[in-house]
Amino acid sequence: MAATRNTTDAEEPTARQQAVLDAVLSLMVEEGDRLTMTAVARRASCSKETLYKWFGDRDGLLAATVRWQAARVRAGRYDSPTLDIATLRDSLKGFAATWLAVISSPTSIALNRLAIGHAASRKSNLGGIVLENGRFAIGERFRPVLEAGRDAGLLAFEDSETAFRTFFGLVGRDVQIRLLLGDALTLAPDEIERDAAQATDQFLALYGQAEPSTKVLSARQA
Amino acid sequence: MAATRNTTDAEEPTARQQAVLDAVLSLMVEEGDRLTMTAVARRASCSKETLYKWFGDRDGLLAATVRWQAARVRAGRYDSPTLDIATLRDSLKGFAATWLAVISSPTSIALNRLAIGHAASRKSNLGGIVLENGRFAIGERFRPVLEAGRDAGLLAFEDSETAFRTFFGLVGRDVQIRLLLGDALTLAPDEIERDAAQATDQFLALYGQAEPSTKVLSARQA
DNA sequence: AAAATGCCGTACCGTACGTTACGGTTCGGC
DNA sequence: GCCGAACCGTAACGTACGGTACGGCATTTT
């Protein structure tokens, strides 16, 4: 209900158009707010007239950019949710690490800032598109993993959505809001791995079926 | 390090100025992006010249508004962290419920959207002010509660900051980002109570010293 | 070869908004 | 009753930016 447009109602952009959208992304990361149509045209070496012909108006360009970036992020796959605890843990940890890497990337930060600023106005919900391709998309891909874990007797929960929201909170904590507000928080790859592992252990301590006492202890450390 | 200005470097605004800042807040909630100086002057029944004399420029007005709202939210007190488990649980749950109520309030949403949009530009970090008075302020007030719990042998953790960040994640989950992006998520007071209780139980299951097996089970349900 | 199409670069228009300036009004002090 | 300060309401200015129009060049089509 949060998004009115799905992600497939527009055909794939041409190579030249993809170059334009990449220019928008780079400009967004570098200049943040100063994302002006003139600047996009200059960066992409195209005319404003072309921008308007291809994307309709500024909001259309931004929406196309969001979808373009979403298609790129959606690359990761997480099938084969096999049945032993080690594999499940790896799947969870992989999810967590991927998600942390995404939300801490400059592109994601700039994109979310833009969408949030847009949500303040009314028109053309970029926020809905971002939600649909970010938070909700990952939840949708996460559900089969959780339910396979439950079917294998490794996890116990009533509602997979609720369980996922807990995992989401354990993984993200205050990272996204701090980055969005401009905090100079940096996440090195090894930190991401460590935080992902901790969140996974904590999640398994809460929802795992196996004897969790040792997991609880290990989950207590940073 | 996230904020360059503290919250006490400006004297208390006069009653008339507070009325102006309240006008800014109400306008922010209603109009979102369309927060124009002319609109503020009209809403507050004052002249633009007065706005500029009192607050310097638009950013000064916004910064004063953020500080004014922060001073209002900071009202809640959480002392007397006594030593039994029931009181500790109540303190945690009270914290969680207050925080959920804050981040889901229209004022907080509008304020954070504004600050995040501002963080995209460079000048005058509203984001830092919001962080300092929101996320970091509550963490600072939370620390004594956690450490009292540890001193009483009820909690086990090495770093109180890390423990708090876990609690933060368990409480907030995806609520704030969804609301900021415009999702039509509503939190009724009884839902807040329930979610706060669940997050508290989950946190105690992870960090509590007492036998956690029953807590783990109760924390599994939504 | 000529016409057409697609696109770049740039100049231009209209508007929204931050900021300033100014005339008129209220009010406390003498 | 008068003065000056503070403040309201509004008009005016400058700029930034979304959107449009147009001339020129290259590639394709007929």
Side-chain angles (χ1 to χ4, degrees), chain A residues 36-37 48-49 52 57-58:
Chain A
T36 166
M37 297 297 280
K48 289 210 285 180
E49 187 176 28
Y52 284 100
D57 58 2
R58 186 171 189 269

Side-chain angles (χ1 to χ4, degrees), chain B residues 36-206:
Chain B
T36 167
M37 297 298 278
T38 304
V40 170
R42 196 158 38 221
R43 173 68 62 100
S45 292
C46 72
S47 76
K48 292 209 272 180
E49 187 177 27
T50 302
L51 291 182
Y52 284 98
K53 174 181 295 184
W54 284 349
F55 304 104
D57 58 1
R58 185 171 189 270
D59 281 347
L61 175 63
L62 297 180
T65 303
V66 170
R67 278 191 267 261
W68 169 234
Q69 171 66 11
R72 174 176 298 164
V73 169
R74 212 193 299 276
R77 302 291 311 131
Y78 288 95
D79 22 40
S80 80
T82 38
L83 311 92
D84 66 293
I85 178 68
T87 307
L88 176 62
R89 167 176 273 113
D90 280 351
S91 285
L92 300 183
K93 181 158 166 286
F95 255 107
T98 300
W99 184 244
L100 278 175
V102 166
I103 66 175
S104 64
S105 70
T107 304
S108 162
I109 296 173
L111 217 51
N112 276 275
R113 280 179 179 158
L114 195 87
I116 287 172
H118 232 72
S121 332
R122 304 309 197 249
K123 44 175 190 173
S124 101
N125 60 344
L126 290 184
I129 301 176
V130 169
L131 268 181
E132 208 59 47
N133 294 282
R135 156 69 181 84
F136 292 139
I138 202 174
E140 219 45 60
R141 288 192 297 150
F142 198 71
R143 183 199 306 273
V145 176
L146 284 182
E147 293 181 348
R150 179 172 60 181
D151 292 348
L154 299 171
L155 296 176
F157 53 83
E158 281 200 343
D159 179 16
S160 63
E161 177 67 11
T162 302
F164 171 70
R165 292 183 72 198
T166 297
F167 188 59
F168 186 95
L170 285 171
V171 173
R173 300 186 292 174
D174 58 357
V175 171
Q176 194 167 22
I177 188 64
R178 283 172 66 174
L179 289 173
L180 288 176
L181 283 169
D183 193 16
L185 182 65
T186 57
L187 256 65
D190 60 321
E191 284 178 285
I192 288 183
E193 285 303 311
R194 189 150 29 86
D195 291 354
Q198 174 185 306
T200 301
D201 286 341
Q202 290 177 328
F203 180 75
L204 288 176
L206 291 176

Side-chain angles (χ1 to χ4, degrees), chain A residues 93-105:
Chain A
K93 181 158 165 286
F95 254 107
T98 300
W99 184 244
L100 278 175
V102 166
I103 66 174
S104 64
S105 70

Side-chain angles (χ1 to χ4, degrees), chain A residues 54-83:
Chain A
W54 285 348
F55 303 104
D57 58 2
R58 186 171 189 269
D59 282 347
L61 174 63
L62 297 181
T65 304
V66 170
R67 278 190 266 261
W68 170 234
Q69 170 67 10
R72 175 176 298 163
V73 169
R74 212 193 297 277
R77 302 290 310 131
Y78 288 96
D79 24 41
S80 80
T82 38
L83 311 92

